[in-house]
Amino acid sequence: MRNIKLVMEYDGTDFIGWQQQLEDRTIQGELIKSLQSLSQESPTIYGAGRTDSGVHALGQVANFKTASSLSDDSIKNGLNFYLPKDIQVISAEEVSDKFHARFSAKSREYRYCISRRMKAIGRKYSWFCKYKLDLEKMKQASEYLIGSHVFSAFSKYNEKEKHYLSDVKYIEWHDENEEITMEISANRFLHNMVRIIVGAMIEVGRGKLQPVDIQKILKSGKRENACYTVPPHGLFLYKINY
Amino acid sequence: MRNIKLVMEYDGTDFIGWQQQLEDRTIQGELIKSLQSLSQESPTIYGAGRTDSGVHALGQVANFKTASSLSDDSIKNGLNFYLPKDIQVISAEEVSDKFHARFSAKSREYRYCISRRMKAIGRKYSWFCKYKLDLEKMKQASEYLIGSHVFSAFSKYNEKEKHYLSDVKYIEWHDENEEITMEISANRFLHNMVRIIVGAMIEVGRGKLQPVDIQKILKSGKRENACYTVPPHGLFLYKINY
């Protein structure tokens, strides 16, 4: 059996999320249907990270085993032929048998787009924030999150989670064309972690919290001390590093 | 009566076009409904240019007369409150009684976005062209269209049209992030003119026509000598100059 690595882009708007469900439209589900049409096989497809309903991806990675002898390009083009327009396979590549999209990943990068203006064009790809934001304070606040910390205050409680440790490698901010983008890289992300961090950063940016409050919230470990979860449509799974 | 100028952005995807229709969803129709809700008036709304079904706008301009004493900002915010999310009023401003969105316009600028890659994200805002394109030849070809010419070869036949003269001020090309953008400015645009010009440029870019063939097609004045009309979703009404 060959092990195939896919890099994919998708528009999360009309999906209930990555993970296959019995009735709802999911990225994994559409991918399985397309693979069945292409190769008459139904392998398990492993994704690097689950994305929630409405969350987009520019570089989601998945892998699956196949007995097919189709070339890498034929797998890519064949899948794109069967896939709906809101999912695109960017590349397909045969990789070592040991490669696993989720467990082999060293780090993941997400981006969150905050729009300073209510937009009609591209309104499903950024979240409009009505407050005037002090970006310098947001940058200062995000520095407290860099490094290895217990992120229970910045994640949704999940009884299956063994621990809430995450090693945040960097948080970078860009501000152009009326859009603020936060880029965050970490070895792992807990459920809703990026969206809860952005919610807290907004509170700092609008002056409701001071940058140092982020450190206090982090240390408290309590979700109720952090703020709201910003909407999914500003969030992009950007890249998986191996 | 006060004369109000609006600058608007809209996502043309789910509209049958600018102009009000009895049953279909149009930008003008939504604007009239919102104005009725805001001011209990039903004035005629004049648009600077009609956009077809699926065509977007970043800077459409319209004007209407009102007896309302609402401030410019209240008109803008009030309309945005009632308008659907795919239309946004960017600014509302009281102007001289003589201002007419269509007849006062000196020039209009459109942009057409051609994507070099089939995309999932933003797929409704650019047209994917599967051919390898020689942008230098496309630039050369577009030079033949600059200036005042009869554009009957590059427009849809319309029996109501008195003449097909248009003065093209510039055509500029940008190539970045896997996207080629053509910016075109003219005193007036004929029906489907930008989309037929882009179709011809694609034929030059892929080597089916030579740049000088564009001059021949232009001089022939015959629509059947030009090429196909590219789809509407790559087209943006960008700016109206007064």
Side-chain angles (χ1 to χ4, degrees), chain B residues 51-91:
Chain B
T51 51
D52 283 338
S53 178
V55 174
H56 313 293
L58 284 157
Q60 170 73 291
V61 175
N63 76 296
F64 62 92
K65 303 286 171 78
T66 180
S68 156
S69 58
L70 286 170
S71 72
D72 292 352
D73 263 5
S74 297
I75 292 173
K76 174 190 147 185
N77 296 331
L79 284 176
N80 281 336
F81 176 80
Y82 289 110
L83 282 168
K85 285 188 176 170
D86 43 1
I87 307 179
Q88 278 291 316
V89 173
I90 297 168
S91 68

mmCIF file of all heavy atoms in Angstrom, chain B residues 51-91:
data_model
loop_
_atom_site.group_PDB
_atom_site.id
_atom_site.type_symbol
_atom_site.label_atom_id
_atom_site.label_comp_id
_atom_site.label_asym_id
_atom_site.label_seq_id
_atom_site.Cartn_x
_atom_site.Cartn_y
_atom_site.Cartn_z
ATOM 1 N N THR B 51 -24.554 47.017 -13.189
ATOM 2 C CA THR B 51 -23.691 45.833 -13.192
ATOM 3 C C THR B 51 -24.581 44.615 -13.461
ATOM 4 O O THR B 51 -25.716 44.557 -12.997
ATOM 5 C CB THR B 51 -22.945 45.672 -11.855
ATOM 6 O OG1 THR B 51 -23.878 45.749 -10.776
ATOM 7 C CG2 THR B 51 -21.878 46.729 -11.675
ATOM 8 N N ASP B 52 -24.042 43.664 -14.210
ATOM 9 C CA ASP B 52 -24.784 42.451 -14.555
ATOM 10 C C ASP B 52 -24.814 41.471 -13.391
ATOM 11 O O ASP B 52 -24.074 41.622 -12.416
ATOM 12 C CB ASP B 52 -24.110 41.763 -15.758
ATOM 13 C CG ASP B 52 -24.442 42.457 -17.058
ATOM 14 O OD1 ASP B 52 -25.460 43.170 -17.117
ATOM 15 O OD2 ASP B 52 -23.670 42.285 -18.037
ATOM 16 N N SER B 53 -25.596 40.454 -13.558
ATOM 17 C CA SER B 53 -25.697 39.381 -12.577
ATOM 18 C C SER B 53 -24.313 38.819 -12.257
ATOM 19 O O SER B 53 -23.555 38.476 -13.165
ATOM 20 C CB SER B 53 -26.578 38.273 -13.159
ATOM 21 O OG SER B 53 -26.654 37.204 -12.266
ATOM 22 N N GLY B 54 -23.970 38.748 -10.991
ATOM 23 C CA GLY B 54 -22.699 38.147 -10.577
ATOM 24 C C GLY B 54 -21.530 39.114 -10.526
ATOM 25 O O GLY B 54 -20.480 38.776 -9.991
ATOM 26 N N VAL B 55 -21.697 40.323 -11.089
ATOM 27 C CA VAL B 55 -20.599 41.301 -11.088
ATOM 28 C C VAL B 55 -20.585 42.030 -9.738
ATOM 29 O O VAL B 55 -21.630 42.396 -9.210
ATOM 30 C CB VAL B 55 -20.760 42.314 -12.250
ATOM 31 C CG1 VAL B 55 -19.707 43.413 -12.170
ATOM 32 C CG2 VAL B 55 -20.708 41.596 -13.593
ATOM 33 N N HIS B 56 -19.382 42.209 -9.190
ATOM 34 C CA HIS B 56 -19.226 42.846 -7.884
ATOM 35 C C HIS B 56 -18.941 44.343 -8.026
ATOM 36 O O HIS B 56 -18.598 44.814 -9.108
ATOM 37 C CB HIS B 56 -18.051 42.215 -7.133
ATOM 38 C CG HIS B 56 -18.057 40.727 -7.167
ATOM 39 N ND1 HIS B 56 -19.022 39.980 -6.530
ATOM 40 C CD2 HIS B 56 -17.233 39.834 -7.776
ATOM 41 C CE1 HIS B 56 -18.781 38.697 -6.737
ATOM 42 N NE2 HIS B 56 -17.702 38.579 -7.488
ATOM 43 N N ALA B 57 -19.055 45.057 -6.924
ATOM 44 C CA ALA B 57 -18.657 46.474 -6.925
ATOM 45 C C ALA B 57 -17.921 46.804 -5.643
ATOM 46 O O ALA B 57 -18.314 46.368 -4.556
ATOM 47 C CB ALA B 57 -19.888 47.365 -7.055
ATOM 48 N N LEU B 58 -16.837 47.555 -5.785
ATOM 49 C CA LEU B 58 -16.121 48.074 -4.618
ATOM 50 C C LEU B 58 -16.390 49.563 -4.462
ATOM 51 O O LEU B 58 -16.178 50.127 -3.394
ATOM 52 C CB LEU B 58 -14.618 47.811 -4.761
ATOM 53 C CG LEU B 58 -14.223 46.353 -4.494
ATOM 54 C CD1 LEU B 58 -12.900 46.005 -5.154
ATOM 55 C CD2 LEU B 58 -14.147 46.086 -2.991
ATOM 56 N N GLY B 59 -16.842 50.217 -5.543
ATOM 57 C CA GLY B 59 -17.080 51.662 -5.471
ATOM 58 C C GLY B 59 -18.206 52.113 -6.390
ATOM 59 O O GLY B 59 -18.046 53.098 -7.109
ATOM 60 N N GLN B 60 -19.316 51.393 -6.378
ATOM 61 C CA GLN B 60 -20.491 51.837 -7.134
ATOM 62 C C GLN B 60 -20.996 53.147 -6.503
ATOM 63 O O GLN B 60 -20.903 53.322 -5.277
ATOM 64 C CB GLN B 60 -21.583 50.766 -7.068
ATOM 65 C CG GLN B 60 -22.948 51.169 -7.606
ATOM 66 C CD GLN B 60 -23.027 51.278 -9.130
ATOM 67 O OE1 GLN B 60 -22.443 52.176 -9.733
ATOM 68 N NE2 GLN B 60 -23.743 50.363 -9.747
ATOM 69 N N VAL B 61 -21.479 54.059 -7.331
ATOM 70 C CA VAL B 61 -22.013 55.326 -6.819
ATOM 71 C C VAL B 61 -23.478 55.452 -7.228
ATOM 72 O O VAL B 61 -23.855 55.053 -8.334
ATOM 73 C CB VAL B 61 -21.187 56.526 -7.344
ATOM 74 C CG1 VAL B 61 -21.812 57.851 -6.925
ATOM 75 C CG2 VAL B 61 -19.746 56.443 -6.825
ATOM 76 N N ALA B 62 -24.289 55.971 -6.322
ATOM 77 C CA ALA B 62 -25.698 56.205 -6.617
ATOM 78 C C ALA B 62 -26.107 57.525 -5.980
ATOM 79 O O ALA B 62 -25.417 58.040 -5.095
ATOM 80 C CB ALA B 62 -26.550 55.071 -6.070
ATOM 81 N N ASN B 63 -27.201 58.124 -6.466
ATOM 82 C CA ASN B 63 -27.745 59.305 -5.782
ATOM 83 C C ASN B 63 -29.264 59.271 -5.777
ATOM 84 O O ASN B 63 -29.886 58.574 -6.581
ATOM 85 C CB ASN B 63 -27.228 60.609 -6.396
ATOM 86 C CG ASN B 63 -27.880 60.944 -7.707
ATOM 87 O OD1 ASN B 63 -27.722 60.198 -8.687
ATOM 88 N ND2 ASN B 63 -28.624 62.053 -7.755
ATOM 89 N N PHE B 64 -29.819 59.972 -4.805
ATOM 90 C CA PHE B 64 -31.280 60.063 -4.691
ATOM 91 C C PHE B 64 -31.622 61.357 -3.958
ATOM 92 O O PHE B 64 -30.785 61.927 -3.250
ATOM 93 C CB PHE B 64 -31.850 58.851 -3.946
ATOM 94 C CG PHE B 64 -31.350 58.720 -2.536
ATOM 95 C CD1 PHE B 64 -32.054 59.287 -1.471
ATOM 96 C CD2 PHE B 64 -30.159 58.046 -2.257
ATOM 97 C CE1 PHE B 64 -31.581 59.174 -0.173
ATOM 98 C CE2 PHE B 64 -29.692 57.924 -0.955
ATOM 99 C CZ PHE B 64 -30.404 58.498 0.085
ATOM 100 N N LYS B 65 -32.854 61.814 -4.156
ATOM 101 C CA LYS B 65 -33.327 63.032 -3.480
ATOM 102 C C LYS B 65 -34.124 62.628 -2.246
ATOM 103 O O LYS B 65 -34.868 61.645 -2.267
ATOM 104 C CB LYS B 65 -34.222 63.851 -4.424
ATOM 105 C CG LYS B 65 -33.549 64.255 -5.747
ATOM 106 C CD LYS B 65 -32.535 65.362 -5.551
ATOM 107 C CE LYS B 65 -31.701 65.630 -6.804
ATOM 108 N NZ LYS B 65 -32.341 66.398 -7.841
ATOM 109 N N THR B 66 -33.956 63.406 -1.179
ATOM 110 C CA THR B 66 -34.698 63.096 0.051
ATOM 111 C C THR B 66 -35.113 64.373 0.786
ATOM 112 O O THR B 66 -34.404 65.386 0.719
ATOM 113 C CB THR B 66 -33.856 62.207 1.003
ATOM 114 O OG1 THR B 66 -34.606 61.929 2.171
ATOM 115 C CG2 THR B 66 -32.550 62.877 1.408
ATOM 116 N N ALA B 67 -36.231 64.277 1.481
ATOM 117 C CA ALA B 67 -36.673 65.385 2.336
ATOM 118 C C ALA B 67 -36.210 65.152 3.773
ATOM 119 O O ALA B 67 -36.396 65.999 4.644
ATOM 120 C CB ALA B 67 -38.198 65.499 2.297
ATOM 121 N N SER B 68 -35.588 64.002 3.997
ATOM 122 C CA SER B 68 -35.159 63.646 5.353
ATOM 123 C C SER B 68 -34.074 64.597 5.854
ATOM 124 O O SER B 68 -33.240 65.077 5.096
ATOM 125 C CB SER B 68 -34.616 62.216 5.333
ATOM 126 O OG SER B 68 -33.731 62.018 6.394
ATOM 127 N N SER B 69 -34.084 64.835 7.162
ATOM 128 C CA SER B 69 -33.059 65.712 7.744
ATOM 129 C C SER B 69 -31.966 64.899 8.444
ATOM 130 O O SER B 69 -31.151 65.443 9.183
ATOM 131 C CB SER B 69 -33.701 66.687 8.723
ATOM 132 O OG SER B 69 -34.363 65.943 9.731
ATOM 133 N N LEU B 70 -31.974 63.602 8.215
ATOM 134 C CA LEU B 70 -30.934 62.757 8.807
ATOM 135 C C LEU B 70 -29.542 63.211 8.364
ATOM 136 O O LEU B 70 -29.351 63.608 7.214
ATOM 137 C CB LEU B 70 -31.144 61.300 8.375
ATOM 138 C CG LEU B 70 -32.311 60.519 9.015
ATOM 139 C CD1 LEU B 70 -32.507 59.180 8.286
ATOM 140 C CD2 LEU B 70 -32.050 60.282 10.502
ATOM 141 N N SER B 71 -28.562 63.124 9.270
ATOM 142 C CA SER B 71 -27.189 63.487 8.913
ATOM 143 C C SER B 71 -26.620 62.465 7.927
ATOM 144 O O SER B 71 -27.165 61.360 7.793
ATOM 145 C CB SER B 71 -26.311 63.511 10.168
ATOM 146 O OG SER B 71 -26.088 62.184 10.609
ATOM 147 N N ASP B 72 -25.534 62.842 7.245
ATOM 148 C CA ASP B 72 -24.892 61.931 6.288
ATOM 149 C C ASP B 72 -24.574 60.586 6.951
ATOM 150 O O ASP B 72 -24.863 59.519 6.407
ATOM 151 C CB ASP B 72 -23.592 62.553 5.756
ATOM 152 C CG ASP B 72 -23.858 63.780 4.873
ATOM 153 O OD1 ASP B 72 -25.040 64.045 4.556
ATOM 154 O OD2 ASP B 72 -22.883 64.465 4.505
ATOM 155 N N ASP B 73 -23.974 60.656 8.154
ATOM 156 C CA ASP B 73 -23.601 59.416 8.839
ATOM 157 C C ASP B 73 -24.822 58.590 9.240
ATOM 158 O O ASP B 73 -24.773 57.354 9.206
ATOM 159 C CB ASP B 73 -22.776 59.742 10.100
ATOM 160 C CG ASP B 73 -21.283 59.617 9.804
ATOM 161 O OD1 ASP B 73 -20.923 59.386 8.626
ATOM 162 O OD2 ASP B 73 -20.482 59.757 10.751
ATOM 163 N N SER B 74 -25.903 59.276 9.609
ATOM 164 C CA SER B 74 -27.115 58.532 9.988
ATOM 165 C C SER B 74 -27.722 57.845 8.774
ATOM 166 O O SER B 74 -28.285 56.754 8.888
ATOM 167 C CB SER B 74 -28.147 59.467 10.621
ATOM 168 O OG SER B 74 -27.628 60.008 11.808
ATOM 169 N N ILE B 75 -27.612 58.471 7.617
ATOM 170 C CA ILE B 75 -28.111 57.826 6.393
ATOM 171 C C ILE B 75 -27.269 56.581 6.106
ATOM 172 O O ILE B 75 -27.793 55.491 5.861
ATOM 173 C CB ILE B 75 -28.088 58.802 5.194
ATOM 174 C CG1 ILE B 75 -29.123 59.905 5.409
ATOM 175 C CG2 ILE B 75 -28.335 58.058 3.875
ATOM 176 C CD1 ILE B 75 -29.083 61.027 4.379
ATOM 177 N N LYS B 76 -25.949 56.749 6.187
ATOM 178 C CA LYS B 76 -25.054 55.614 5.938
ATOM 179 C C LYS B 76 -25.338 54.475 6.928
ATOM 180 O O LYS B 76 -25.583 53.331 6.526
ATOM 181 C CB LYS B 76 -23.595 56.077 6.079
ATOM 182 C CG LYS B 76 -22.594 54.949 5.990
ATOM 183 C CD LYS B 76 -21.188 55.408 6.364
ATOM 184 C CE LYS B 76 -20.454 54.275 7.040
ATOM 185 N NZ LYS B 76 -19.142 54.638 7.535
ATOM 186 N N ASN B 77 -25.338 54.786 8.205
ATOM 187 C CA ASN B 77 -25.524 53.731 9.217
ATOM 188 C C ASN B 77 -26.930 53.151 9.180
ATOM 189 O O ASN B 77 -27.114 51.949 9.367
ATOM 190 C CB ASN B 77 -25.197 54.268 10.610
ATOM 191 C CG ASN B 77 -23.736 54.671 10.732
ATOM 192 O OD1 ASN B 77 -22.873 54.103 10.045
ATOM 193 N ND2 ASN B 77 -23.444 55.653 11.570
ATOM 194 N N GLY B 78 -27.911 54.011 8.920
ATOM 195 C CA GLY B 78 -29.294 53.547 8.849
ATOM 196 C C GLY B 78 -29.498 52.600 7.676
ATOM 197 O O GLY B 78 -30.129 51.545 7.810
ATOM 198 N N LEU B 79 -28.954 52.962 6.516
ATOM 199 C CA LEU B 79 -29.076 52.072 5.353
ATOM 200 C C LEU B 79 -28.373 50.745 5.622
ATOM 201 O O LEU B 79 -28.913 49.680 5.342
ATOM 202 C CB LEU B 79 -28.496 52.735 4.097
ATOM 203 C CG LEU B 79 -29.374 53.812 3.457
ATOM 204 C CD1 LEU B 79 -28.655 54.468 2.283
ATOM 205 C CD2 LEU B 79 -30.708 53.221 2.985
ATOM 206 N N ASN B 80 -27.174 50.817 6.196
ATOM 207 C CA ASN B 80 -26.448 49.568 6.479
ATOM 208 C C ASN B 80 -27.191 48.688 7.484
ATOM 209 O O ASN B 80 -27.088 47.463 7.430
ATOM 210 C CB ASN B 80 -25.027 49.870 6.977
ATOM 211 C CG ASN B 80 -24.100 50.228 5.830
ATOM 212 O OD1 ASN B 80 -24.345 49.840 4.690
ATOM 213 N ND2 ASN B 80 -23.050 50.984 6.120
ATOM 214 N N PHE B 81 -27.959 49.320 8.369
ATOM 215 C CA PHE B 81 -28.759 48.544 9.314
ATOM 216 C C PHE B 81 -29.816 47.722 8.571
ATOM 217 O O PHE B 81 -30.040 46.552 8.882
ATOM 218 C CB PHE B 81 -29.417 49.483 10.336
ATOM 219 C CG PHE B 81 -30.328 48.770 11.295
ATOM 220 C CD1 PHE B 81 -29.817 48.091 12.389
ATOM 221 C CD2 PHE B 81 -31.710 48.769 11.096
ATOM 222 C CE1 PHE B 81 -30.657 47.414 13.266
ATOM 223 C CE2 PHE B 81 -32.558 48.097 11.972
ATOM 224 C CZ PHE B 81 -32.034 47.424 13.059
ATOM 225 N N TYR B 82 -30.448 48.338 7.571
ATOM 226 C CA TYR B 82 -31.532 47.653 6.859
ATOM 227 C C TYR B 82 -31.036 46.788 5.693
ATOM 228 O O TYR B 82 -31.698 45.837 5.295
ATOM 229 C CB TYR B 82 -32.551 48.673 6.332
ATOM 230 C CG TYR B 82 -33.370 49.318 7.430
ATOM 231 C CD1 TYR B 82 -33.193 50.655 7.775
ATOM 232 C CD2 TYR B 82 -34.318 48.566 8.135
ATOM 233 C CE1 TYR B 82 -33.942 51.242 8.794
ATOM 234 C CE2 TYR B 82 -35.065 49.146 9.156
ATOM 235 C CZ TYR B 82 -34.877 50.486 9.477
ATOM 236 O OH TYR B 82 -35.611 51.047 10.484
ATOM 237 N N LEU B 83 -29.889 47.127 5.125
ATOM 238 C CA LEU B 83 -29.404 46.393 3.947
ATOM 239 C C LEU B 83 -28.949 44.983 4.302
ATOM 240 O O LEU B 83 -28.482 44.739 5.413
ATOM 241 C CB LEU B 83 -28.229 47.156 3.303
ATOM 242 C CG LEU B 83 -28.597 48.362 2.441
ATOM 243 C CD1 LEU B 83 -27.356 49.193 2.121
ATOM 244 C CD2 LEU B 83 -29.296 47.926 1.139
ATOM 245 N N PRO B 84 -29.052 44.051 3.347
ATOM 246 C CA PRO B 84 -28.507 42.713 3.583
ATOM 247 C C PRO B 84 -26.978 42.788 3.632
ATOM 248 O O PRO B 84 -26.368 43.775 3.207
ATOM 249 C CB PRO B 84 -28.984 41.917 2.372
ATOM 250 C CG PRO B 84 -29.213 42.934 1.304
ATOM 251 C CD PRO B 84 -29.662 44.186 2.012
ATOM 252 N N LYS B 85 -26.353 41.707 4.140
ATOM 253 C CA LYS B 85 -24.905 41.739 4.380
ATOM 254 C C LYS B 85 -24.078 41.824 3.108
ATOM 255 O O LYS B 85 -22.897 42.170 3.158
ATOM 256 C CB LYS B 85 -24.490 40.486 5.159
ATOM 257 C CG LYS B 85 -24.885 40.559 6.617
ATOM 258 C CD LYS B 85 -24.293 39.403 7.397
ATOM 259 C CE LYS B 85 -24.626 39.541 8.883
ATOM 260 N NZ LYS B 85 -24.264 38.334 9.633
ATOM 261 N N ASP B 86 -24.663 41.494 1.956
ATOM 262 C CA ASP B 86 -23.868 41.541 0.722
ATOM 263 C C ASP B 86 -23.899 42.907 0.045
ATOM 264 O O ASP B 86 -23.367 43.063 -1.054
ATOM 265 C CB ASP B 86 -24.227 40.398 -0.253
ATOM 266 C CG ASP B 86 -25.702 40.143 -0.400
ATOM 267 O OD1 ASP B 86 -26.494 40.865 0.229
ATOM 268 O OD2 ASP B 86 -26.067 39.227 -1.162
ATOM 269 N N ILE B 87 -24.504 43.902 0.706
ATOM 270 C CA ILE B 87 -24.387 45.298 0.247
ATOM 271 C C ILE B 87 -23.949 46.133 1.434
ATOM 272 O O ILE B 87 -24.485 45.987 2.531
ATOM 273 C CB ILE B 87 -25.735 45.879 -0.252
ATOM 274 C CG1 ILE B 87 -26.380 44.980 -1.315
ATOM 275 C CG2 ILE B 87 -25.538 47.294 -0.809
ATOM 276 C CD1 ILE B 87 -27.730 45.508 -1.814
ATOM 277 N N GLN B 88 -22.985 46.999 1.235
ATOM 278 C CA GLN B 88 -22.544 47.912 2.278
ATOM 279 C C GLN B 88 -22.417 49.318 1.707
ATOM 280 O O GLN B 88 -21.796 49.498 0.656
ATOM 281 C CB GLN B 88 -21.154 47.508 2.808
ATOM 282 C CG GLN B 88 -21.194 46.412 3.849
ATOM 283 C CD GLN B 88 -21.796 46.879 5.155
ATOM 284 O OE1 GLN B 88 -21.483 47.963 5.635
ATOM 285 N NE2 GLN B 88 -22.662 46.058 5.728
ATOM 286 N N VAL B 89 -23.004 50.282 2.389
ATOM 287 C CA VAL B 89 -22.786 51.679 2.028
ATOM 288 C C VAL B 89 -21.491 52.112 2.701
ATOM 289 O O VAL B 89 -21.342 52.006 3.921
ATOM 290 C CB VAL B 89 -23.963 52.566 2.494
ATOM 291 C CG1 VAL B 89 -23.644 54.039 2.257
ATOM 292 C CG2 VAL B 89 -25.243 52.162 1.767
ATOM 293 N N ILE B 90 -20.517 52.553 1.892
ATOM 294 C CA ILE B 90 -19.225 52.985 2.425
ATOM 295 C C ILE B 90 -19.302 54.441 2.880
ATOM 296 O O ILE B 90 -18.726 54.819 3.884
ATOM 297 C CB ILE B 90 -18.116 52.804 1.355
ATOM 298 C CG1 ILE B 90 -17.969 51.305 1.021
ATOM 299 C CG2 ILE B 90 -16.793 53.397 1.813
ATOM 300 C CD1 ILE B 90 -17.129 51.038 -0.211
ATOM 301 N N SER B 91 -20.024 55.266 2.114
ATOM 302 C CA SER B 91 -20.201 56.661 2.524
ATOM 303 C C SER B 91 -21.504 57.218 1.964
ATOM 304 O O SER B 91 -21.984 56.786 0.917
ATOM 305 C CB SER B 91 -19.019 57.524 2.058
ATOM 306 O OG SER B 91 -19.032 57.636 0.650
#
